[in-house]
Amino acid sequence: MNNRKIIVAIDGLSACGKSTLAKGLASRLNYRHIDSGSMYRAATYFLLLNNIDLSDNAAVKRCLSQLEIHFKSKGSRSQLYLGGQPIDKQLRSQEVDSRVSQVAAIPQVRRKLVLLQQEMGEGKGLVMDGRDIGSVVFPDAELKIFLTADLDVRTRRRMKEVTQNTDLLDFETVRENLVMRDQIDSTREDSPLKKTADAVVVDNSNLSPTEQLEMCLVLAQIRCD
Ligand code: CDP
């Protein structure tokens, strides 16, 4: 039995399996799972939908004041709502994919989303994955996991995901997109992806989803006791 509720922060590069691990952990611990990346994707989708020039700070700011994101939980599963409408598929389009890191580097976008994320952690019992969860959103999280995987492995995983979404792409294009996003996410000024000193590094290049889940569940259970 888990004695106390904790916050599990999972950070890592694109397509290294953060959401799969986060969903699995949330389900086994009976916690809520929030994919913070989906919030950056929703903000990107919203800005694109409104034809906002991303370099126009005033326009971005005006548009952000209309941005309304919330989640509804079904057990450990969380559905994102944008302006009251559930949205999924649109968040994974190639257009959003290629712009999201640029949007996530805008400080006013981050400020707004980080506050929302912190509110979600108030009752603990939360698994959140992203880039800055252990470093900025929940610096006191009881368990921080930093996930990594080989670039080619990540490319194959992303292709599988994208193909399921019917956008057919070749290996090199997907790989280049990941490299570009890794570069923006790791070098941006505001909250770059970085491993904190207290995070546990898990390289899952050669681990199955079940193996990584069982391993991280042990780490979580130690902290719940
Ligand atoms: O699925 P994938 O790992 O490629 O990306 P994601 O988790 O859906 O996040 C999309 C993008 O949002 C990332 O590439 C980051 O640029 C940004 N992001 C962020 O800046 N901070 C977070 N906490 C989560 C995502």
Side-chain angles (χ1 to χ4, degrees):
M1 262 321 276
N2 306 319
N3 301 327
R4 62 171 188 142
K5 290 196 169 191
I6 64 168
I7 288 186
V8 181
I10 304 177
D11 290 300
L13 291 168
S14 295
C16 68
K18 297 182 299 292
S19 288
T20 304
L21 173 61
K23 273 185 209 141
L25 276 176
S27 160
R28 293 281 289 276
L29 294 165
N30 209 10
Y31 281 10
R32 192 171 180 212
H33 165 229
I34 298 292
D35 167 6
S36 67
S38 68
M39 299 169 72
Y40 288 94
R41 287 174 181 275
T44 306
Y45 176 72
F46 189 68
L47 289 166
L48 293 175
L49 198 68
N50 285 286
N51 290 316
I52 301 299
D53 171 0
L54 299 178
S55 60
D56 180 346
N57 282 342
V60 169
K61 195 172 172 196
R62 265 196 311 277
C63 189
L64 279 181
S65 68
Q66 310 288 316
L67 174 70
E68 203 259 308
I69 294 175
H70 71 272
F71 288 88
K72 275 190 194 160
S73 303
K74 281 191 194 143
S76 60
R77 202 179 161 271
S78 296
Q79 168 70 54
L80 188 146
Y81 284 74
L82 179 64
Q85 296 297 319
I87 117 166
D88 283 310
K89 270 207 321 295
Q90 301 92 317
L91 302 183
R92 292 269 154 198
S93 74
Q94 220 221 314
E95 205 187 359
V96 169
D97 228 47
S98 59
R99 291 305 184 97
V100 62
S101 292
Q102 192 187 345
V103 170
I106 302 174
Q108 42 196 349
V109 172
R110 303 204 71 80
R111 265 199 303 279
K112 173 153 182 151
L113 298 189
V114 166
L115 277 176
L116 277 175
Q117 291 154 6
Q118 288 172 334
E119 279 170 20
M120 294 175 200
E122 275 166 10
K124 302 236 175 178
L126 175 71
V127 182
M128 190 176 283
D129 63 290
R131 303 291 187 289
D132 58 342
I133 311 305
S135 57
V136 174
V137 183
F138 298 120
D140 297 327
E142 288 81 357
L143 174 58
K144 299 181 186 177
I145 297 169
F146 191 86
L147 262 192
T148 66
D150 180 82
L151 177 61
D152 284 354
V153 172
R154 293 195 286 127
T155 306
R156 281 193 291 277
R157 288 178 186 161
R158 180 47 46 94
M159 288 199 66
K160 222 167 131 193
E161 224 177 76
V162 174
T163 316
Q164 276 165 1
N165 284 348
T166 66
D167 270 335
L168 289 172
L169 284 173
D170 70 288
F171 188 86
E172 278 313 312
T173 312
V174 176
R175 194 175 193 275
E176 272 167 31
N177 180 265
L178 285 180
V179 171
M180 180 196 79
R181 298 217 352 241
D182 290 355
Q183 159 78 8
I184 303 178
D185 290 346
S186 313
T187 57
R188 69 180 174 220
E189 245 172 68
D190 190 341
S191 322
L193 169 71
K194 64 166 187 272
K195 189 195 95 54
T196 56
D198 52 353
V200 181
V201 179
V202 176
D203 182 333
N204 68 12
S205 306
N206 297 305
L207 293 178
S208 70
T210 311
E211 286 168 334
Q212 74 168 358
L213 174 59
E214 294 305 327
M215 190 189 225
C216 294
L217 207 49
V218 172
L219 297 173
Q221 272 155 353
I222 292 170
R223 285 152 179 90
C224 289
D225 284 339

